[in-house]
Amino acid sequence: MGDAHPLLAALSGARHGALHRRVLLTVSAMFFFDLADLNTFAFAAPAIRRAHLFTVDDIAFVTALAFAGMAAGAILGAAAPVAPAAPVTQHIGE
């Protein structure tokens, strides 16, 4: 077999610090909760379908809406202004 790709060799020897671990943990948590909500619906969908007499097309529509909502949230979140927000405690006691 040939040698590893030079990019893989460079990455395997790269140093990583606290920021890298923090980013990895954050992205891992986001991925976990993203899959958790979709898999929870997938687990409950057959019982919901039987209890409320939904069709497979109804379940597919709800799933499509969930993905459309995630896409819209990603687009709107990326387009949101980056201006700093006022602290919440600023308005307490006025």
Side-chain angles (χ1 to χ4, degrees):
M1 268 208 230
D3 293 337
H5 192 275
L7 181 60
L8 291 177
L11 286 175
S12 66
R15 295 176 42 179
H16 61 280
L19 177 64
H20 296 97
R21 286 189 293 275
R22 189 172 180 187
V23 168
L24 181 63
L25 181 65
T26 303
V27 171
S28 299
M30 291 167 36
F31 185 67
F32 172 78
F33 287 110
D34 178 47
L35 290 180
D37 67 345
L38 289 175
N39 285 329
T40 300
F41 180 69
F43 180 76
I48 293 171
R49 184 173 168 243
R50 282 190 302 273
H52 298 287
L53 303 176
F54 289 157
T55 65
V56 173
D57 288 338
D58 295 333
I59 299 297
F61 182 69
V62 170
T63 304
L65 283 179
F67 280 102
M70 286 188 283
I75 292 167
L76 293 175
V82 190
V88 175
T89 56
Q90 178 180 354
H91 302 290
I92 294 177
E94 287 184 3

